[in-house]
Amino acid sequence: MTQTLSRLVADPGDAIPILSVTPETWPRVEASLPGPQAAYARATEFAPKAGRIALLPAADGRLGRILFGLGDGSDPLIAGKLPGALPPGTYRFVAADGFDDGAAALAWLLGSYRFARYREAGAERPALVVPEGADGPAIARIAEAVARGRDLVNTPANDLGPAEIEAAVRAVAERHGATVSVVTGDDLAAGFPLVHTVGAASPRAARLIDLSWGPTDAPRVTLVGKGVAFDTGGLDIKPSSGMLLMKKDMGGAAAALAVADMVMGSGLNLRLRLIVPAVENAISGSAFRPGDVIRSRAGLTVEIGNTDAEGRLILADALALAEADRPDLLLDFATLTGAARVALGPDLPAFFTEDEALAAAVSEAGIAVADPVWRLPLHKPYASLLESKVADLNNVSGGPFAGAITAALFLRRFAPGTRAHVHFDLYGWNPSTKPGRPEGGEVQTARLVHALLAQRYPKA
């Protein structure tokens, strides 16, 4: 994969300063500027609104300093606007009251990302001096893991199928000394029948990818990521408009892999397991059909009410595998339902858990690192909507209501003994560019989960 990020560098001594200002601090900052620069700011009508930028000249005509408006501070990633708006060069943040320049450095890197696999990335990205007291290598590790995940989501399905998802997991494993085992193709039929069923129509063999890392006596954390490389909808085929972004249907796997990359790079004190069922939901004479009944790895029989609800099927087998290991914490990531998007929009992933303390910790971590989520209820009476007359349950509900909740309840049937289980239903895509969040693939919840795990299982 190829990505373009700004560089974090040591201070060369002549880095261009960036003064971040709010409506409250701007009068004081303006008064401290040299007369010509203050006059220039007034002449160009600079105001400290969020994202406003003024390039102030030095006495010799070169770029002297940058004014950057923070507004009311409501966007923690606002500094992500800077690398796309400044000319090439090396810059540094000037310390300011209430300004977290370490967080701003991460936002800068996240906003500098460009997907460059198929065309040139454009102008050279400006470089940023590592803020004093900030952990530059840690900031870079997080940004690079996000960039690798974004690359996966952005890559079209002709270049990213199940085999390429496996290759991406193996590349991360090799970087950190993890081990990987894979079950592929027809070998899935016995142990992972739902994964095998969903992937059977594609000439690109499905697989179950299983990564392990860390000391065996450490707390066990398992990540499960939905890896549907492309989703036609199967025989319940999507309209063409519904397929345009289906290269992102492996966004859950990309997010889970980004978390694993961050966790291993940080050396957290835990036993990590990453499980990715990777398939293509295609159409052929081998495709599964509405009305089919499949016996899952957990032994539950599932009636197929809709072949376009394939993600929960492959996750079901993966969760059954995960639960057998009795993890202390189980988290799954999936671009699962349109219902979650209707409820919360593209920027706010839904999450579900029965553990109240864990729910609070997830929400707090999301706010702390500007990777927000919103909890939806696991309303158990809605489980009746998944009833089947011929099997233990159906893979879809019998009506138009509560689609995200019934999907989460379906998944809970396959890991019922793990109370500390969080299911993330995410979009995996930025529909438009915002500071720190370029348009395109996004590994939503990855930074949140890494922060949560770093707090619970710090490096020994």
Side-chain angles (χ1 to χ4, degrees):
M1 296 292 174
T2 302
Q3 75 263 351
T4 300
L5 292 176
S6 290
R7 294 175 296 115
L8 290 181
V9 299
D11 193 344
D14 59 351
I16 300 166
I18 299 174
L19 281 65
S20 301
V21 294
T22 66
E24 290 73 28
T25 62
W26 171 231
R28 184 171 69 252
V29 172
E30 183 182 18
S32 71
L33 294 174
Q37 289 187 352
Y40 185 87
R42 287 192 295 271
T44 56
E45 298 184 333
F46 173 78
K49 296 178 181 179
R52 288 285 294 273
I53 297 171
L55 282 61
L56 304 183
D60 60 3
R62 293 183 297 175
L63 187 56
R65 69 186 68 204
I66 308 297
L67 296 177
F68 182 55
L70 301 178
D72 62 5
S74 60
D75 186 352
L77 297 180
I78 190 66
K81 181 176 181 177
L82 287 165
L86 297 178
T90 301
Y91 298 83
R92 63 179 176 85
F93 289 121
V94 175
D97 292 344
F99 180 67
D100 186 341
D101 50 11
L106 176 59
W108 173 294
L109 292 187
L110 295 176
S112 74
Y113 169 84
R114 296 293 182 272
F115 181 57
R117 177 164 178 161
Y118 300 102
R119 66 179 185 181
E120 294 297 324
E124 177 188 352
R125 301 287 93 192
L128 180 69
V129 172
V130 179
E132 185 176 354
D135 188 339
I139 292 171
R141 278 198 305 269
I142 293 172
E144 288 164 2
V146 169
R148 284 188 283 267
R150 287 171 170 173
D151 274 351
L152 290 172
V153 182
N154 284 323
T155 301
N158 61 308
D159 284 330
L160 188 78
E164 289 76 20
I165 294 174
E166 177 188 335
V169 174
R170 289 190 180 278
V172 171
E174 183 176 357
R175 187 179 306 116
H176 299 294
T179 61
V180 178
S181 63
V182 179
V183 182
T184 309
D186 289 340
D187 291 341
L188 291 163
F192 305 96
L194 292 174
V195 180
H196 180 262
T197 294
V198 173
S202 174
R204 302 196 285 184
R207 59 206 65 212
L208 191 290
I209 307 159
D210 194 346
L211 174 151
S212 295
W213 172 89
T216 56
D217 59 349
R220 295 183 300 281
V221 175
T222 299
L223 314 174
V224 176
K226 173 189 169 184
V228 178
F230 192 82
D231 181 19
T232 65
L235 292 178
D236 287 309
I237 190 169
K238 295 177 182 288
S240 60
S241 61
M243 280 193 238
L244 288 176
L245 281 182
M246 281 302 99
K247 66 178 183 180
K248 78 171 183 66
D249 212 21
M250 40 62 64
L257 182 57
V259 175
D261 200 355
M262 295 177 201
V263 164
M264 293 186 287
S266 301
L268 300 187
N269 183 32
L270 55 84
R271 175 65 175 177
L272 179 69
R273 190 178 191 186
L274 167 68
I275 302 172
V276 175
V279 304
E280 179 180 26
N281 188 19
I283 300 173
S284 74
S286 301
F288 68 120
R289 297 161 290 263
D292 284 357
V293 177
I294 314 298
R295 186 173 296 278
S296 68
R297 177 182 180 87
L300 293 170
T301 54
V302 180
E303 181 184 8
I304 306 303
N306 193 303
T307 63
D308 195 20
E310 83 300 328
R312 66 197 67 183
L313 296 175
I314 65 172
L315 288 173
D317 274 353
L319 288 171
L321 174 66
E323 175 154 283
D325 195 37
R326 296 186 178 181
D328 297 284
L329 181 59
L330 173 61
L331 306 108
D332 76 77
F333 308 76
T335 51
L336 206 62
T337 70
R341 307 289 70 75
V342 170
L344 300 175
D347 299 345
L348 200 58
F351 80 98
F352 301 81
T353 183
E354 296 173 353
D355 189 316
E356 296 298 328
L358 180 56
V362 168
S363 295
E364 290 167 5
I367 293 170
V369 299
D371 194 7
V373 290
W374 195 264
R375 187 185 185 189
L376 292 183
L378 277 165
H379 186 57
K380 292 182 179 179
Y382 285 166
S384 63
L385 299 174
L386 295 168
E387 291 178 354
S388 166
K389 294 180 180 179
V390 298
D392 291 320
L393 71 168
N394 201 299
N395 75 322
V396 293
S397 65
F401 301 121
I405 296 173
T406 55
L409 290 168
F410 178 90
L411 295 179
R412 283 297 293 147
R413 292 290 298 273
F414 297 88
T418 305
R419 181 171 177 80
H421 171 204
V422 181
H423 161 57
F424 292 104
D425 188 335
L426 51 94
Y427 191 52
W429 192 264
N430 296 317
S432 60
T433 295
K434 298 178 182 177
R437 294 149 287 187
E439 181 178 350
E442 187 60 272
V443 286
Q444 292 171 313
T445 72
R447 294 186 296 106
L448 142 65
V449 171
H450 171 252
L452 175 70
L453 297 179
Q455 183 179 43
R456 290 191 165 205
Y457 313 108
K459 184 176 180 179

